[in-house]
C-alpha cells in the first residue's frame, strides 16, 4: 500500500536492512498530477520485490538428487523425563510436516500439477542425557558463559569480562544432568550461551557414533543419504529443564540451520526477550520456549537451501546483502513473521524450495558435461576417434541436452516446477549417453595409440640396425681403397 506509512522496522541498531520512512515510495497529491515522478521509485521497488520473492539466493548448495523420501528426525535430548512437555508450547510436528510437504512436493514422472510425490515425514524421538553421552559431550564443548564480575578478588579478563564454561555432572542417581552454574563468579552478572558453530562441529564429528548409541539411522554425514535414495535431516533439540533463557550465538536465536543438520535449544523460560529487531522504534519480543516457527524455517534452510527472506543477492557487491523490507508476512524467518501453526508458508518460501532443487540438477549436469568436453579436448585426435555413427549420435545428444536445459530453465522461470524437473531429468539421460560415447571413444583412441607406438618402435629399430650395417660396409670398402692408394704412392715407390 503506497499510501500507507511511514513505517519503521528492522535491526534495532538501524544498520543495514533497516526500513525507515524513505524506504518505500509514497503516493502524494502531487503525484496525481505528475505520475511520471513515481516511475523510477516504483521500478526500483519492483526490482527489490523480484529479487526477494521471485529469485532469492540459495542459502547453500543443494544436493543434485531427487530423493524418494525425506525424513526430518528430531532428536530431543532431555535432562529430565519427558523434558518440557506440557510446560511450553508444543513443537507442532504435524504442522511442520504439512508445511514441508506443500513446500517441497512435486509429482515424479508427470508434467504439470502440484500433487505430492516424494514423501516428507517428521519424527520425534526423546533421548535422555544418560543415553547419549556424546550429545552431552558436544553440548559441554559448546556451552559457555560470559560474566562481568564485581568481586575485587577475581581475576577478570580484558575489560573486566571473564569467560567461564559450563558442563555436565552426575545427578547422584546414576544419571547425568547439564549444570549451567559451573564457573559462576561470586559477584556480578552472568550469562550463558551456546556456540552454535562449535555445537554443530562436535555433533557432526560424533554423528555416526551417536547414531549407534541411540540406535537410529542419521544418514550420511555429508548429504544425509541412508543408502536407499532416502534422505535424513537430523535435528538435535536440547530440551533443558531450566527457567533461564539459553540462546545460540551468534544471532541470539533458539535455532540454527546448517547444510547437514539443525541444532536448537529450548528451555521453559516464561519470560520474553528482545530479538534485536524493532518495529516502530519498539523492541520486538520473542518467546525462547516456542521454537515452532524457527524450527520450520531452519529445516527449510538446511534441507532445501531456502535463505531467510531478509537476504538478497547484490550484483554491485557480488555478495549477499540484507534488506528487511520483505521480511514480513507468512515467512518462517525473522521475528516479524506471523506464521502460526496451520502449516502455511508464503509463496516465496515454497517456490524457492522447489526451484533450488531443480537448479542444482541443471548445474550439476552442466559441470559434468564440461568435464566430458575437457576429456575429449585433452585427448589427441579427440572426437575423431569416434566412428561416423557415434559422432552423429554425440552431436545429436549434445543438442538434445542443451535444448532440454533451456526448456527446463524456461519452465522454471514460469514456476512450472514439475515440467522443469521433467526436462532436467531427461537431459541427464542424454548426458549419460554422452559420457558413454566419450568413454568408448577414449578406449578406441588408447588402443590406436598403443598400436601406433608399438609399430613405430619396431620399425625404427630395424631401420636403425640396417642403416648402421650399411654405413659400416661402406666405410670399410672406402677405407680399404684409400689405404691401397696410400700404400702404392708412399710406401711401394721407396722399394
Amino acid at each position: 500500500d503506497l499510501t500507507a506509512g511511514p513505517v519503521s522496522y528492522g535491526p534495532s541498531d538501524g544498520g543495514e536492512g533497516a526500513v525507515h520512512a524513505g524506504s518505500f515510495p509514497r503516493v502524494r497529491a502531487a503525484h496525481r498530477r505528475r505520475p511520471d515522478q513515481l516511475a523510477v521509485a516504483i521500478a526500483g521497488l519492483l526490482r527489490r520485490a523480484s529479487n526477494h520473492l521471485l529469485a532469492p539466493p540459495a542459502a547453500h548448495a543443494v544436493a543434485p538428487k531427487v530423493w524418494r523420501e525425506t525424513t526430518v528426525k528430531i532428536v530431543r535430548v532431555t535432562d529430565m523425563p519427558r523434558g518440557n512437555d506440557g510446560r511450553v508450547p508444543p513443537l507442532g510436528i504435524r504442522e511442520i510436516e504439512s508445511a514441508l510437504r506443500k513446500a517441497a512436493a512435486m509429482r515424479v514422472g508427470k508434467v504439470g500439477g502440484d500433487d505430492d510425490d516424494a514423501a516428507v515425514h517428521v519424527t520425534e524421538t526423546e533421548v535422555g542425557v544418560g543415553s547419549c553421552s556424546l550429545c552431552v559431550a558436544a553440548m559441554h564443548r559448546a556451552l559457555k558463559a560470559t560474566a562481568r564480575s564485581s568481586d575485587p578478588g577475581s581475576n577478570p579478563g580484558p575489560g573486566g569480562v571473564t569467560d567461564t564454561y559450563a558442563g555436565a555432572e552426575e545427578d547422584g542417581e546414576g544419571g547425568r544432568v547439564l549444570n549451567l552454574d559451573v564457573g559462576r563468579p561470586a559477584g556480578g552478572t552472568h550469562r550463558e550461551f551456546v556456540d552454535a558453530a562449535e555445537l554443530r562441529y562436535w555433533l557432526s564429528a560424533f554423528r555416526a557414533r551417536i547414531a549407534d548409541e541411540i540406535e537410529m539411522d542419521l544418514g550420511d554425514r555429508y548429504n544425509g543419504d541412508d543408502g536407499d535414495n532416502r534422505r535424513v535431516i537430523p535435528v538435535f533439540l536440547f530440551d533443558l529443564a531450566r527457567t533461564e533463557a539459553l540462546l545460540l550465538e551468534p544471532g541470539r536465536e533458539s535455532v540454527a540451520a546448517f547444510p547437514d543438520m539443525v541444532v536448537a535449544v529450548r528451555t521453559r523460560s516464561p519470560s520474553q526477550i528482545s530479538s534485536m529487531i524493532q518495529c516502530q522504534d519498539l523492541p520486538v519480543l520473542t518467546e525462547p520456549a516456542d521454537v515452532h516457527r524457527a524450527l520450520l524455517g531452519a529445516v527449510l534452510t538446511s534441507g532445501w537451501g531456502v535463505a531467510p527472506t531478509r537476504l538478497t543477492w547484490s550484483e554491485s557487491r557480488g555478495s549477499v546483502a540484507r534488506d528487511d523490507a520483505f521480511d514480513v508476512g507468512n515467512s518462517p524467518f525473522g521475528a516479524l513473521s506471523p506464521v502460526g501453526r496451520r502449516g502455511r508458508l508464503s509463496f516465496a518460501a515454497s517456490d524457492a524450495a522447489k526451484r533450488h532443487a531443480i537448479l542444482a540438477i541443471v548445474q550439476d549436469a552442466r559441470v559434468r558435461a564440461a568435464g566430458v568436453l575437457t576429456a575429449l579436448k585433452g585427448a589427441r585426435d579427440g572426437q575423431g576417434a569416434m566412428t561416423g555413427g557415434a559422432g552423429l549420435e554425440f552431436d545429436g545428444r549434445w543438442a538434445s541436452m542443451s535444448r532440454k536445459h533451456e526448456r527446463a530453465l524456461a519452465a522454471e522461470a514460469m514456476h512450472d516446477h514439475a515440467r522443469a524437473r521433467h526436462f532436467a531429468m531427461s537431459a541427464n539421460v542424454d548426458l549419460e549417453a554422452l559420457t558413454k560415447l566419450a568413454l568408448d571413444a577414449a578406449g578406441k583412441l588408447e588402443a590406436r595409440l598403443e598400436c601406433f607406438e608399438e609399430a613405430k618402435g619396431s620399425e625404427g629399430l630395424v631401420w636403425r640396425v640396417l642403416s648402421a650395417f650399411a654405413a659400416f660396409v661402406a666405410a670399410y670398402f672406402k677405407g680399404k681403397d684409400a689405404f691401397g692408394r696410400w700404400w702404392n704412392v708412399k710406401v711401394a715407390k721407396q722399394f
Side-chain angles (χ1 to χ4, degrees):
D1 185 358
L2 300 184
T3 63
V7 294
S8 172
Y9 59 90
S12 300
D13 57 4
E16 180 184 9
V19 178
H20 47 77
S23 297
F24 297 109
R26 297 186 63 199
V27 178
R28 307 178 188 277
H31 294 149
R32 298 174 182 174
R33 297 188 298 269
R34 295 287 304 275
D36 57 313
Q37 295 181 358
L38 274 177
V40 175
I42 292 179
L45 179 61
L46 291 176
R47 176 64 181 271
R48 290 169 60 190
S50 299
N51 289 344
H52 281 271
L53 306 179
L54 300 182
H60 57 83
V62 181
K65 294 187 63 175
V66 177
W67 304 99
R68 293 177 51 196
E69 181 179 321
T70 298
T71 304
V72 180
K73 295 186 177 181
I74 301 178
V75 181
R76 191 161 58 92
V77 184
T78 62
D79 55 354
M80 290 186 63
R82 297 182 54 82
N84 291 321
D85 286 349
R87 300 181 179 89
V88 297
L91 294 178
I93 301 298
R94 301 281 72 81
E95 290 80 4
I96 293 177
E97 183 178 85
S98 175
L100 293 178
R101 286 182 176 179
K102 294 177 181 178
M106 291 179 290
R107 291 195 294 183
V108 173
K110 301 180 182 180
V111 178
D114 291 322
D115 297 335
D116 292 352
D117 57 345
V120 179
H121 302 289
V122 181
T123 63
E124 179 186 3
T125 304
E126 179 182 346
V127 178
V129 294
S131 303
C132 186
S133 59
L134 293 175
C135 299
V136 176
M139 175 61 82
H140 182 204
R141 291 279 188 173
L143 195 58
K144 303 177 181 179
T146 59
R148 185 175 299 277
S149 177
S150 60
D151 184 2
S154 62
N155 185 20
V161 177
T162 302
D163 287 338
T164 61
Y165 299 87
E169 64 179 15
E170 300 294 335
D171 61 358
E173 299 179 358
R176 305 184 73 183
V177 296
L178 293 176
N179 180 12
L180 303 184
D181 295 330
V182 176
R184 181 184 292 272
T189 60
H190 178 80
R191 183 178 70 86
E192 296 88 6
F193 67 93
V194 177
D195 189 330
E198 188 168 356
L199 178 60
R200 176 251 183 173
Y201 172 82
W202 290 112
L203 289 174
S204 179
F206 298 150
R207 182 165 176 165
R209 296 167 60 185
I210 291 176
D212 295 336
E213 191 174 18
I214 64 177
E215 299 180 352
M216 179 184 296
D217 186 4
L218 297 180
D220 183 72
R221 175 179 176 181
Y222 300 101
N223 59 9
D225 193 351
D226 66 354
D228 194 19
N229 202 26
R230 292 182 172 88
R231 177 176 58 165
V232 176
I233 303 175
V235 178
F236 292 95
L237 171 62
F238 290 86
D239 200 10
L240 307 179
R242 57 171 285 167
T243 57
E244 297 179 0
L246 184 64
L247 301 178
L248 299 171
E249 295 288 351
R252 291 179 60 82
E253 298 283 349
S254 299
V255 183
F258 297 95
D260 57 341
M261 69 176 64
V262 175
V263 295
V265 178
R266 182 175 70 168
T267 64
R268 60 179 67 175
S269 173
S271 60
Q272 294 182 334
I273 61 174
S274 175
S275 61
M276 302 178 67
I277 299 293
Q278 59 84 23
C279 181
Q280 296 299 96
D281 297 326
L282 297 176
V284 177
L285 302 179
T286 60
E287 188 177 357
D290 188 2
V291 298
H292 169 78
R293 176 193 55 79
L295 197 61
L296 173 59
V299 172
L300 280 173
T301 300
S302 178
W304 289 270
V306 180
T309 317
R310 61 181 175 274
L311 299 182
T312 184
W313 179 258
S314 174
E315 297 178 357
S316 59
R317 292 184 184 181
S319 61
V320 175
R322 176 171 178 168
D323 185 0
D324 286 52
F326 300 94
D327 198 18
V328 293
N330 288 329
S331 167
F333 309 99
L336 297 174
S337 169
V339 170
R341 297 180 176 272
R342 297 181 180 181
R344 296 179 180 178
L345 289 177
S346 64
F347 162 81
S350 60
D351 184 74
K354 302 179 180 70
R355 180 176 60 255
H356 293 161
I358 296 170
L359 294 182
I361 296 174
V362 175
Q363 188 266 348
D364 177 72
R366 292 194 170 186
V367 170
R368 291 190 290 153
V372 172
L373 292 182
T374 302
L376 290 177
K377 182 180 179 180
R380 185 168 56 181
D381 203 18
Q383 193 177 352
M386 296 182 182
T387 62
L392 291 176
E393 183 181 358
F394 185 92
D395 294 338
R397 288 284 189 178
W398 186 270
S400 175
M401 181 190 66
S402 300
R403 177 59 177 167
K404 289 174 182 177
H405 279 168
E406 292 177 1
R407 294 291 301 273
L409 296 178
E412 185 57 43
M414 299 303 296
H415 306 282
D416 190 349
H417 306 292
R419 185 179 297 273
R421 192 172 69 176
H422 168 76
F423 284 114
M425 298 303 296
S426 180
N428 280 349
V429 177
D430 293 325
L431 179 58
E432 294 297 332
L434 288 170
T435 305
K436 185 177 183 301
L437 290 173
L439 291 175
D440 293 343
K444 296 177 182 179
L445 181 61
E446 183 179 358
R448 287 174 53 185
L449 290 175
E450 289 179 355
C451 294
F452 179 74
E453 292 294 340
E454 290 177 1
K456 179 180 178 181
S458 58
E459 293 179 1
L461 178 59
V462 173
W463 282 109
R464 283 195 294 271
V465 171
L466 293 177
S467 299
F469 180 74
F472 173 76
V473 172
Y476 172 77
F477 285 106
K478 289 184 66 175
K480 183 179 180 181
D481 293 342
F483 180 75
R485 288 195 300 270
W486 175 80
W487 178 267
N488 292 333
V489 174
K490 298 295 184 180
V491 178
K493 289 183 177 182
Q494 297 181 6
F495 297 97

